[in-house]
Amino acid sequence: MIKEIVKDEAFLSQPAEPATADDAQVAQDLIDTMESLDDCVCLASNQIGSTKAVIAYEDNGRVYVMYNPKMTAFVQPYTTMEGCVSREEPSEVKRFKLIRVSYQVLAGGNLVSRTKKFTGWTAEIVQHALDHLAGKLV
C-alpha cells in the first residue's frame, strides 16, 4: 500500500525497533511507496510511519528490501550533498565509497541472514536509509 511520507522530525529521530517476519507488510509498503515517487531510490520504514528496521533501495532498476540492516565495515570516506523525500533542503553528509552490510531477507516465511558489499551510488543510498533507521536527521 502506498503510504504518505513522514516529515515529522520527532518521529524520524527515533531509532527503529528490530523487524520480524511479521513485518512483511512494512516491506511491501516501502516498495509500493517508493515506486509511486519520482526520483526516489531508497526509503526507510520510519519515512512511511513504521518503527520497524526495514529499508528498500533501488539498484539497476530493481527494488530490494533489507530487514535489520547494519553497516559492519566501511572505507574511503567522502562528503556529498544529499536530498531526502522527508526533508525540504539537501544536506551535506559524510559517506563511504565501500561498505559491507549484514541484514536479513524474508525467505519461506522466515528471516534469513545475509551479508553484502556495496560500492558507489548504491553504497551512498543504503547509508542514507541506514541513517534513517538510526534516527539520524542528516
Side-chain angles (χ1 to χ4, degrees):
M1 172 184 287
I2 296 171
K3 299 286 188 170
E4 187 173 329
I5 297 297
V6 173
K7 297 187 180 205
D8 178 358
E9 290 188 3
F11 184 81
L12 294 170
S13 295
Q14 298 173 25
E17 304 167 0
T20 68
D22 293 334
D23 295 313
Q25 188 60 52
V26 173
Q28 188 59 54
D29 292 346
L30 280 169
I31 293 168
D32 294 344
T33 304
M34 197 170 116
E35 290 178 342
S36 76
L37 299 170
D38 292 334
D39 299 325
C40 182
V41 293
C42 69
L43 272 179
S45 56
N46 59 353
Q47 292 181 279
I48 62 166
S50 172
T51 59
K52 298 299 184 165
V54 185
I55 68 168
Y57 68 96
E58 183 181 309
D59 189 18
N60 291 317
R62 183 170 171 212
V63 177
Y64 297 89
V65 172
M66 291 192 278
Y67 292 76
N68 304 310
K70 302 274 188 232
M71 194 163 57
T72 59
F74 44 91
V75 295
Q76 299 178 349
Y78 66 99
T79 302
T80 189
M81 293 295 290
E82 288 181 356
C84 179
V85 296
S86 291
R87 300 185 48 92
E88 297 297 322
E89 297 295 322
S91 300
E92 185 175 82
V93 294
K94 179 181 177 182
R95 297 289 181 228
F96 298 91
K97 291 183 182 180
L98 172 65
I99 63 171
R100 183 173 44 230
V101 177
S102 64
Y103 61 99
Q104 295 170 310
V105 296
L106 188 61
N110 296 306
L111 291 180
V112 179
S113 295
R114 300 273 191 268
T115 301
K116 186 169 184 170
K117 291 180 184 176
F118 296 94
T119 61
W121 172 246
T122 307
E124 185 174 322
I125 63 175
V126 167
Q127 288 170 82
H128 182 102
L130 292 174
D131 278 356
H132 274 291
L133 292 184
K136 291 182 185 176
L137 297 176
V138 183

